[in-house]
């Protein structure tokens, strides 16, 4: 039976760990790290094509998938909102069935989680979630790869996420729960994580000996934390709420004052794109604790690991 990657909740801890191990190997073999990077081309995906169906803009996800497929010897085609227009120009069912006759894998960035679930249901080829309103699993895999690179382990670490309980946070807490990282969330009222996803993830965390805790207090969240994580206050598609959100998230900014509470060797993480002066100050995101471009680079390696896992 074909496998998809919609949410890491569908993956076992062993699968998640093996993806990270595979990503580390691919990174080493690729002659990375940093810039300029290596670029070994393997033949695993020779003769295989991957479609990127994107309903929203992207820098990291699009570029890392396109380059990743190239480096695995496959062919990648980008289909932006104007080409596919999922569910509007054509039903999701017909898009899934048609693309399954042309390509070996569909990577999709959509607004509504239901669209990616339906794509996976109707497609005869693996579907990878490149971000929806509920999840961003590829980001979370790159994030935990980065955390292990920095600390050499997952156990006995605490990650503090300050801000919106959104797609990035959902996938991040699931990934952490799978590998045993403690998570503390702090955000304003009205922006808590989805209660069903939280409950399920807390169950996963219990099995793996870690905790997922939520509060309104950013000071509590970052106290003694090894990792401090931020995402934008206004996600793609929420632009009309910008003024309201900026007002409500005030007090949840990561700044020099707040990070004083963290471990001395803490790392600052952000999935990017970032807004300096809003969710994080420039001195923190551009400072020596920041690992944002390692995270961005690891998208490439971990997505190659996902493609190899699902396609070979
Ligand atoms: N972090 C991330 O997914 O970035 P893009 O939106 O640029 O792909
Ligand atoms: N939460 C953000 C993440 C972007 C990578 C969004 O959905 O726009």
């Amino acid at each position: 039976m074909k496998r998809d990657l919609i949410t890491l909740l569908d993956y076992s801890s062993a699968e998640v760990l093996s993806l990270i191990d595979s990503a580390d190997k691919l990174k080493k073999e690729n002659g990375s790290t940093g810039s300029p990077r290596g670029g070994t081309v393997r033949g695993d995906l020779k003769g295989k094509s991957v479609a990127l169906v994107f309903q929203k803009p992207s820098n990291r996800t699009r570029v890392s998938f396109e380059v990743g497929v190239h480096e695995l010897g496959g062919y990648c085609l980008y289909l932006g909102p104007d080409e596919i227009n999922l569910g509007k120009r054509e039903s999701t069912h017909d898009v899934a069935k048609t693309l399954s006759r042309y390509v070996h894998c569909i990577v999709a960035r959509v607004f509504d989680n239901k669209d990616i679930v339906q794509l996976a249901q109707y497609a005869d080829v693996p579907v990878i979630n490149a971000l929806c309103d509920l999840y961003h699993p590829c980001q979370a895999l790159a994030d935990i790869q980065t955390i292990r690179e920095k600390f050499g382990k997952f156990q006995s670490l605490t990650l503090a996420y300050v801000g919106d309980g959104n797609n990035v946070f959902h996938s991040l807490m699931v990934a952490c729960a799978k590998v045993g990282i403690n998570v503390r969330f702090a955000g304003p009222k009205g922006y808590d994580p989805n209660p069903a996803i939280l409950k399920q993830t807390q169950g996963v965390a219990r099995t793996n000996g870690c905790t997922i805790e939520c509060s309104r207090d950013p000071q509590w969240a970052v106290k003694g934390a090894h990792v401090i994580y931020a995402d934008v206050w206004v996600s793609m598609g929420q632009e009309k709420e910008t003024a309201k959100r900026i007002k409500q998230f005030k007090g949840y900014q990561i700044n020099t004052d707040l990070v004083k509470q963290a471990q001395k060797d803490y790392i600052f993480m952000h999935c990017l794109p970032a807004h300096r002066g809003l969710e994080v100050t420039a001195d923190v995101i551009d400072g020596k604790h920041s690992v944002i471009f390692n995270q961005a680079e690891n998208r490439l390696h971990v997505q190659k690991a996902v493609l190899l896992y699902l396609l070979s």
Side-chain angles (χ1 to χ4, degrees):
M1 214 177 75
K2 69 140 179 154
R3 214 53 214 289
D4 304 297
L5 175 54
I6 305 301
T7 164
L8 291 169
L9 284 166
D10 301 334
Y11 278 54
S12 68
S13 293
E15 282 181 302
V16 171
L17 288 168
S18 128
L19 285 172
I20 303 305
D21 288 346
S22 165
D24 282 350
K25 274 196 205 112
L26 288 161
K27 181 169 184 173
K28 212 164 161 196
E29 167 195 303
N30 201 240
S32 281
T33 155
S35 174
R37 52 182 295 273
T40 322
V41 175
R42 297 168 51 125
D44 311 73
L45 297 193
K46 196 162 186 277
K48 295 200 171 154
S49 300
V50 176
L52 302 188
V53 178
F54 276 38
Q55 302 291 106
K56 297 176 182 180
S58 169
N59 171 4
R60 281 144 292 272
T61 310
R62 175 182 176 177
V63 177
S64 56
F65 265 109
E66 287 203 27
V67 172
V69 170
H70 163 72
E71 290 181 0
L72 293 175
Y75 175 72
C76 193
L77 56 158
Y78 175 78
L79 301 157
D82 292 339
E83 276 90 13
I84 295 276
N85 208 349
L86 204 66
K88 293 200 178 80
R89 181 170 184 268
E90 209 169 0
S91 71
T92 305
H93 172 271
D94 290 359
V95 170
K97 288 293 178 199
T98 305
L99 287 178
S100 298
R101 298 293 178 105
Y102 297 135
V103 301
H104 301 83
C105 179
I106 301 169
V107 177
R109 170 167 282 199
V110 301
F111 283 93
D112 192 337
N113 171 259
K114 284 192 200 85
D115 290 337
I116 189 100
V117 170
Q118 269 189 15
L119 257 185
Q121 186 186 334
Y122 298 131
D124 305 307
V125 297
V127 170
I128 299 174
N129 186 353
L131 181 144
C132 66
D133 57 342
L134 293 184
Y135 300 112
H136 197 2
C138 299
Q139 180 67 53
L141 287 171
D143 294 340
I144 59 168
Q145 183 190 2
T146 310
I147 291 172
R148 193 171 68 176
E149 278 174 350
K150 292 292 162 190
F151 293 100
K153 60 174 186 177
F154 290 126
Q155 273 67 38
S156 313
L157 295 180
T158 296
L159 177 147
Y161 178 102
V162 178
D164 192 6
N166 60 12
N167 46 9
V168 166
F169 177 67
H170 290 155
S171 286
L172 185 64
M173 73 168 165
V174 175
C176 288
K178 292 280 175 186
V179 301
I181 300 173
N182 299 303
V183 176
R184 291 197 215 124
F185 168 89
K189 197 161 172 247
Y191 299 95
D192 288 335
N194 174 297
I197 299 174
L198 177 65
K199 197 168 166 216
Q200 197 181 345
T201 310
Q202 283 171 327
V204 175
R206 260 194 304 279
T207 328
N208 293 323
C210 60
T211 55
I212 315 284
E213 298 171 285
C214 298
S215 128
R216 303 261 167 261
D217 183 0
Q219 301 275 342
W220 163 84
V222 302
K223 204 168 170 49
H226 303 84
V227 181
I228 301 181
Y229 201 112
D231 185 14
V232 288
W233 291 341
V234 185
S235 283
M236 289 179 276
Q238 299 170 336
E239 291 77 8
K240 281 196 187 121
E241 299 172 30
T242 301
K244 183 178 101 182
R245 282 175 167 264
I246 289 179
K247 219 165 117 193
Q248 286 175 328
F249 281 99
K250 212 169 158 247
Y252 291 90
Q253 182 187 64
I254 313 280
N255 52 38
T256 9
D257 202 37
L258 189 65
V259 300
K260 277 185 197 139
Q261 303 286 335
Q263 297 282 343
K264 278 205 167 55
D265 62 345
Y266 86 95
I267 56 172
F268 173 77
M269 302 183 82
H270 193 307
C271 56
L272 304 178
H275 297 111
R276 287 163 176 78
L278 289 179
E279 72 271 9
V280 59
T281 52
D283 51 357
V284 172
I285 194 168
D286 300 321
K288 66 177 199 285
H289 295 271
S290 178
V291 297
I292 54 173
F293 298 116
N294 300 62
Q295 289 174 260
E297 178 186 329
N298 285 339
R299 294 290 303 276
L300 174 76
H301 307 299
V302 92
Q303 287 160 193
K304 282 164 78 174
V306 171
L307 287 165
L308 287 181
Y309 185 60
L310 296 179
L311 291 181
S312 48

